[in-house]
Amino acid sequence: MSRPALALLLLLVCAVAGADTPKATRVLVRKTAHELVLYRGDVVLHRYRVAIGPGGPGFKRREGDEVTPVGHYHVTMHQPSQFHEFLRLDYPNADDRARFAKLVASGALPKGATIGGDIGIHGAPPQKQWKAVHKNFDWTLGCVALDDAEIDEIGALVPNGTPVDIED
């Protein structure tokens, strides 16, 4: 049976049994493809087009570089936001802190540089005129942005603690 057929069968079984919609067990963000994928095990639950930071590929080096970080993270909390809903990630993690410390120690970053934080998955910008077009360009400060209805759906499917892998 194909994966899409298996995913549909799983959803139908849960609906017939009166169970809640299956929760995602993993989130994958592919920066180059501008894609966020929700998985339950190896089954793809949903795919979404996203906007990211305009800082380019690779690791986030410092606060203000507008790079969406690459690495392994977890959703730590769901909270209201000016961007509708915000699923906070545990950036910076230990790998990010070690990489940042090496960059500062080597002089690749100035001594006053900061690593930043407040990275997450969120909805569209609050300005009405940008809501329909915001995924046509990269505009975040390093976050992953979707439409408001999509972040509502993701918020319901992705519990705190869910792993989030971000790759180029």
Side-chain angles (χ1 to χ4, degrees):
M1 180 178 288
S2 71
R3 284 186 181 181
L6 184 60
L8 180 59
L9 179 63
L10 179 63
L11 290 173
L12 288 173
V13 167
C14 289
V16 168
D20 292 336
T21 303
K23 301 294 185 194
T25 57
R26 177 174 169 243
V27 177
L28 174 64
V29 176
R30 294 185 178 116
K31 289 170 46 173
T32 303
H34 288 85
E35 179 180 56
L36 182 149
V37 186
L38 296 183
Y39 288 90
R40 175 149 186 86
D42 292 332
V43 176
V44 173
L45 296 176
H46 297 282
R47 292 180 187 272
Y48 305 89
R49 178 148 177 80
V50 298
I52 59 173
F59 296 102
K60 184 166 189 62
R61 294 170 44 98
R62 65 178 287 185
E63 183 173 22
D65 66 6
E66 298 183 337
V67 172
T68 299
V70 170
H72 182 72
Y73 304 98
H74 295 87
V75 174
T76 60
M77 71 173 60
H78 295 59
Q79 62 191 101
S81 159
Q82 67 175 334
F83 301 108
H84 193 66
E85 183 176 357
F86 188 80
L87 278 60
R88 183 175 300 278
L89 302 181
D90 59 351
Y91 172 87
N93 62 25
D95 291 339
D96 298 313
R97 284 190 209 82
R99 187 179 313 105
F100 178 78
K102 285 180 186 176
L103 289 170
V104 171
S106 73
L109 291 177
K111 296 284 184 207
T114 56
I115 194 168
D118 292 332
I119 298 293
I121 303 167
H122 60 68
Q127 300 86 357
K128 187 176 181 180
Q129 70 270 24
W130 293 112
K131 290 200 180 281
V133 298
H134 78 99
K135 289 196 275 186
N136 294 342
F137 56 96
D138 291 332
W139 59 271
T140 76
L141 298 178
C143 293
V144 176
L146 302 104
D147 294 334
D148 291 347
E150 292 169 331
I151 194 63
D152 286 342
E153 183 174 88
I154 290 168
L157 293 172
V158 176
N160 290 344
T162 302
V164 177
D165 293 307
I166 304 175
E167 60 184 34
D168 279 329

